[in-house]
Amino acid sequence: MATPRGPRGPYTAGRARRTQILEAALLRFGQDGYRKTSLARIARDAEITDAGLLHHFGGKQQLLLAVVEYWHERMDVRWERVSDSVRDAFRCHLEDTAETLTTPGMIELAVVLTAEATVAGHPAHDHFTGWQEKGVRELADRLRAGSRNGELRPDLDHEGIARECVAMDAGLQQQWLAGGRSFDLVAVMRGHLDRLIRAISTDGQGL
């Protein structure tokens, strides 16, 4: 029996071109921001015609939503590779935040879109609602595992702590943008997570 093979030909080429566009848009949105970036500029960055870009994405908003989903998928892959240690998960998050700061436009997009998408009927409402709850659920599961393996105290409100962390992240990012990026976002996040892990770990040690 022949061994099944993955998709080839135009389908594979189309997916590769789509990814190429998403990578170009992610970088351009991150550097220049959504409002200052034109589809024509992204098409040039992706080495594709304007018509070719519109073939894959019908307009700028559709491309934006696809970029955010693509960005979230990349973060999911990184999260899945982190060890079971809660400390390692917190350190990974700080590294991701520091990396994101090299493209501050992505933080602006995340803050603005998250706020806008709270309104039912917004094109990104389902995605952002699902993404936020998924983040809370996965962090709560990681905290529960930490209690089971002895890294964390057993008497914790795991979901409550997870929601606190997600809210703290969102609030700090909003303050960072509103304040003209005037404080060290990663340092403040690190301080919060260090105090948290000292309070909930069995050994009382920080990051």
Side-chain angles (χ1 to χ4, degrees), residues 115-165:
E116 292 178 348
T118 58
V119 179
H122 188 279
H125 176 75
D126 290 343
H127 174 77
F128 273 93
T129 300
W131 165 259
Q132 179 172 285
E133 288 304 306
K134 179 173 179 288
V136 170
R137 184 173 61 253
E138 290 182 348
L139 180 53
D141 287 345
R142 180 67 61 97
L143 294 168
R144 291 187 187 96
S147 289
R148 287 195 300 270
N149 66 29
E151 182 184 10
L152 304 183
R153 289 166 30 203
D155 58 335
L156 300 176
D157 177 3
H158 301 97
E159 182 174 338
I161 293 171
R163 291 196 178 279
E164 172 192 320
C165 288

Side-chain angles (χ1 to χ4, degrees), residues 168-207:
M168 178 67 69
D169 253 23
L172 284 175
Q173 289 177 18
Q174 191 277 333
Q175 287 182 19
W176 184 75
L177 287 174
R181 308 169 188 177
S182 59
F183 64 91
D184 188 333
L185 177 61
V186 175
V188 176
M189 284 184 174
R190 183 183 297 278
H192 167 254
L193 293 176
D194 183 72
R195 290 189 295 274
L196 175 61
I197 198 68
R198 288 177 186 275
I200 65 177
S201 63
T202 53
D203 60 14
Q205 300 299 307
L207 291 179

Side-chain angles (χ1 to χ4, degrees), residues 47-58:
E47 300 180 345
I48 189 174
T49 64
D50 293 3
L53 188 152
L54 291 173
H55 171 74
H56 291 279
F57 304 97

Side-chain angles (χ1 to χ4, degrees), residues 7-29:
R8 296 178 296 174
Y11 177 81
T12 302
R15 285 184 62 86
R17 182 55 58 85
R18 179 183 172 86
T19 299
Q20 184 178 343
I21 296 169
L22 289 172
E23 287 282 358
L26 179 62
L27 181 60
R28 186 57 58 185
F29 286 158

